[in-house]
Amino acid sequence: MSASTPTLHTASDVGSPTASAYDVEKDHHVEETTNAQALSDTAPATRAELEKEEDLESGGQAGENAAPPAAKGPFALPITHPMHPSQFSGDRFERAPVLCLVGAFFAIFCSFGWINCVGFFQQYYQENQLKNYSPSSISWIISLETFFMFFGGPLVGIAYDRYGPRYLLIAGTFLHVFGLMMTSLSSEYYQFILAQGICSPIGACLLFFATVTSSMTWFFKWRALAFGIVAAGSSLGGVILPVLVSNLIPQIGFAWTMRTCAFFILALLMISNFTITSRLPPTKKPICLSDFIDPLREIPFVLLTIGGFIAFFGIFIPIGYVVVAASSVGMSPRLQNYIVPCLNAASIIGRTIPGALADKIGRFNMFIIMSLLSIIFVFALWVPAKSNALIIVFACFFGFSSGAFVSLFPALIAEITPDLSKLGVRNGTSFAILSISALVGTPIAGQLLIADHGKFLGAQLFSGFTLVLGAILVLACRYTKVGFAIMTKV
């Protein structure tokens, strides 16, 4: 056989299962060019042999009815299949995926960015409207926000897979804005629970999952970077919104401050509603309980989800109580207002740069590195913090490392998802489980504060050790993929 015969690539030829779509397309183009030259230079009998061999290699029959060429290497799909890496147009930064990223950035700014303000409201309610309630009671408002933000994931995943993102974005915009408007009218504890703790975060939940899943459908090679850019919206929201609220309240009062924020969020979400799209069309398949149960039969999915569940305790306790901790060491109220913005400003870097590096060194590898940094910052900075300077340094450093946790976790779910058409349900199932730890984490920290007579050591140690255990389980998930190969990109 002549040297122009197409070469079959093994997994080692192409690289890891995350090899880029560009490499696959390049190999295919080289093979087509080589084959065309061979057909023009050989005799008719040899030309017929080449055509027959190409048809057999593509899995089809010789002649006009040959099947599309099969993907080489680890991608056992035709190049025209929507799940083949070459079909992810976001890796080429075309118009639709770029607009989707812009809209997703604003949607996460308004949804998760608002949730990132919880540290401000915990301290504000303790000193104002709900000063007669214990910190643990007030923290239920905060924890319910995070809980409903994630718990509705499975139902939102089903709706997304069946109908796409459009209706979810419209409903999410209405509920989020309506909840904030009702918060502006609240004065009783139960009213804050209903408006800020339930209605608003349900809308944020619809926005979050529709946004995350839509943006993931456009990218393959640059998936972690893309989600890092999207997740940076929540960090920027966590910088701007607390400063906006803390500066407007003394000037126009709490009620009109909340209404101003609601109108501001509505304006940004209008952009999101017009720009967010999904690359994959919705599939109206019947709702099946096995869609939620099947991922729980996969050991990597279970290890990753339980690891995230435990680590969520450690992530959200500092975010929720860092302002209260700053107050306990004598920080002035004016400076306290900038602790949460400092934490979220640092997390902008933590959600973008590690995402870009994760596409180079491996998403699991980067996640574990950033988890280790979070553990170090809790034990080395937060536990001994007795001064304003150390609290501020901890807020900035922990914001950087915890930001990567939030941005990389959905990319890890996509990494262990063989069929991205089911990513919506799998994302929803995982985050619904994670939401339980977000629900009970801050109240547990509040009870630890009460038991320790207002001292933070118990809550700080609880945060640090849950981060340790969570990182171990994610490391075990990585082991199921590549074993003890430390230097392997995964």
Side-chain angles (χ1 to χ4, degrees):
M1 195 63 207
S2 67
S4 61
T5 304
T7 303
L8 290 175
H9 293 271
T10 63
S12 61
D13 294 326
V14 178
S16 69
T18 56
S20 70
Y22 172 78
D23 294 330
V24 175
E25 289 179 335
K26 182 175 70 174
D27 291 346
H28 181 65
H29 175 71
V30 171
E31 289 170 6
E32 288 182 339
T33 305
T34 307
N35 292 345
Q37 183 179 0
L39 286 172
S40 62
D41 295 339
T42 55
T46 307
R47 185 183 302 116
E49 290 176 8
L50 283 171
E51 290 176 348
K52 184 175 180 180
E53 279 194 28
E54 288 180 343
D55 290 334
L56 291 175
E57 286 179 357
S58 65
Q61 297 176 353
E64 296 179 355
N65 297 325
K72 304 296 189 285
F75 308 112
L77 293 170
I79 289 179
T80 55
H81 193 283
M83 289 296 109
H84 190 276
S86 64
Q87 300 300 312
F88 289 79
S89 57
D91 291 336
R92 299 184 292 276
F93 297 100
E94 296 180 357
R95 182 173 180 270
V98 170
L99 286 176
C100 183
L101 277 185
V102 172
F105 180 90
F106 287 131
I108 297 296
F109 177 99
C110 297
S111 55
F112 213 147
W114 182 262
I115 302 299
N116 280 342
C117 299
V118 294
F120 170 82
F121 286 102
Q122 174 76 32
Q123 180 70 9
Y124 180 79
Y125 289 150
Q126 283 183 209
E127 297 176 351
N128 294 278
Q129 290 99 321
L130 304 176
K131 59 184 177 182
N132 294 326
Y133 290 83
S134 68
S136 181
S137 298
I138 296 172
S139 68
W140 280 107
I141 301 173
I142 310 307
S143 62
L144 280 170
E145 285 193 71
T146 311
F147 172 75
F148 280 106
M149 175 79 181
F150 298 125
F151 183 71
L155 296 179
V156 178
I158 290 176
Y160 178 91
D161 291 339
R162 288 173 63 85
Y163 302 107
R166 182 62 50 229
Y167 300 118
L168 294 174
L169 292 170
I170 294 172
T173 299
F174 172 77
L175 289 174
H176 190 27
V177 173
F178 180 74
L180 296 181
M181 290 291 188
M182 291 301 100
T183 303
S184 72
L185 303 175
S186 300
S187 59
E188 300 292 334
Y189 179 72
Y190 78 91
Q191 293 171 339
F192 286 104
I193 288 285
L194 292 174
Q196 189 175 358
I198 296 177
C199 180
S200 171
I202 288 177
C205 172
L206 300 178
L207 293 167
F208 175 74
F209 283 103
T211 295
V212 169
T213 310
S214 295
S215 57
M216 290 300 96
T217 64
W218 289 104
F219 295 89
F220 178 80
K221 179 181 178 182
W222 300 109
R223 181 175 294 152
L225 174 61
F227 190 78
I229 294 172
V230 172
S234 68
S235 300
L236 188 61
V239 172
I240 294 176
L241 294 174
V243 174
L244 180 66
V245 171
S246 63
N247 283 278
L248 284 180
I249 287 178
Q251 300 180 40
I252 60 178
F254 176 81
W256 271 107
T257 295
M258 296 301 290
R259 292 168 198 152
T260 301
C261 290
F263 282 123
F264 176 56
I265 286 172
L266 176 62
L268 294 181
L269 289 179
M270 292 296 291
I271 299 174
S272 300
N273 275 269
F274 285 108
T275 56
I276 294 177
T277 55
S278 174
R279 183 179 66 88
L280 303 175
T283 55
K284 293 188 177 182
K285 53 188 177 183
I287 299 174
C288 185
L289 186 61
S290 63
D291 290 340
F292 303 100
I293 297 176
D294 287 346
L296 299 177
R297 295 192 178 107
E298 302 173 14
I299 293 178
F301 186 89
V302 170
L303 289 172
L304 180 62
T305 300
I306 295 178
F309 171 85
I310 295 174
F312 253 45
F313 285 109
I315 290 293
F316 282 100
I317 288 174
I319 292 174
Y321 279 97
V322 66
V323 178
V324 182
S327 177
S328 70
V329 300
M331 184 178 290
S332 68
R334 181 173 179 80
L335 189 56
Q336 290 174 30
N337 292 335
Y338 292 92
I339 291 295
V340 173
C342 285
L343 187 149
N344 288 310
S347 72
I348 296 176
I349 303 173
R351 295 181 185 187
T352 50
I353 294 179
L357 293 176
D359 290 319
K360 300 294 184 182
I361 70 172
R363 291 147 195 168
F364 272 92
N365 297 340
M366 179 55 66
F367 184 90
I368 292 168
I369 291 171
M370 301 309 291
S371 296
L372 291 175
L373 287 178
S374 296
I375 294 166
I376 293 171
F377 296 152
V378 167
F379 285 115
L381 294 178
W382 197 29
V383 170
K386 303 298 179 184
S387 65
N388 291 353
L390 206 52
I391 288 284
I392 293 172
V393 169
F394 167 73
C396 293
F397 280 34
F398 188 79
F400 169 74
S401 59
S402 63
F405 179 95
V406 175
S407 66
L408 288 175
F409 196 82
L412 299 189
I413 296 175
E415 187 82 6
I416 60 173
T417 298
D419 184 0
L420 286 183
S421 65
K422 298 180 180 179
L423 183 58
V425 171
R426 291 169 69 92
N427 260 331
T429 300
S430 181
F431 275 99
I433 296 172
L434 267 59
S435 69
I436 299 173
S437 63
L439 174 65
V440 301
T442 48
I444 288 175
Q447 289 299 320
L448 290 172
L449 283 176
I450 294 173
D452 206 13
H453 307 289
K455 297 180 180 179
F456 278 84
L457 182 60
Q460 291 165 336
L461 294 177
F462 181 72
S463 172
F465 284 116
T466 52
L467 284 171
V468 171
L469 184 54
I472 291 173
L473 290 171
V474 174
L475 188 62
C477 177
R478 182 189 184 277
Y479 171 79
T480 63
K481 293 174 66 68
V482 296
F484 290 109
I486 298 176
M487 303 304 295
T488 301
K489 175 184 175 182
V490 62

